[in-house]
Amino acid sequence: SAGAAREAERQGVPLLGSIPLALAVREGGDRGRPLVVSAPDSPQARAFRQTAAALARQVARRASRRGGQALRV
């Protein structure tokens, strides 16, 4: 969303992704069966996978800048 992008820019951090709103996201979480399992081809599941991949890339970049040292979270 534009609001999330603005806030990420204001904070000086990358926007890793955006998940389209859908009732199925909450329902799947409530049932313990996330959308990436129950509806892997849905736009929301694709967005979750893309966001997870962006997060993994960001963590890898930061780790490589630190010479492989552990990152504090």
Side-chain angles (χ1 to χ4, degrees):
S1 80
R6 280 193 305 272
E7 183 61 19
E9 185 175 332
R10 188 181 79 75
Q11 295 283 334
V13 297
L15 177 63
L16 299 176
S18 177
I19 311 300
L21 291 177
L23 183 59
V25 173
R26 183 195 54 82
E27 291 174 338
D30 288 350
R31 287 192 307 266
R33 189 159 166 81
L35 232 55
V36 294
V37 173
S38 64
D41 295 325
S42 70
Q44 292 80 15
R46 285 192 298 273
F48 272 113
R49 286 192 302 276
Q50 290 168 351
T51 301
L55 175 60
R57 285 190 300 273
Q58 189 67 22
V59 169
R61 279 188 204 114
R62 288 187 179 222
S64 71
R65 283 189 221 137
R66 295 176 56 91
Q69 293 176 349
L71 298 173
R72 279 192 244 174
V73 179

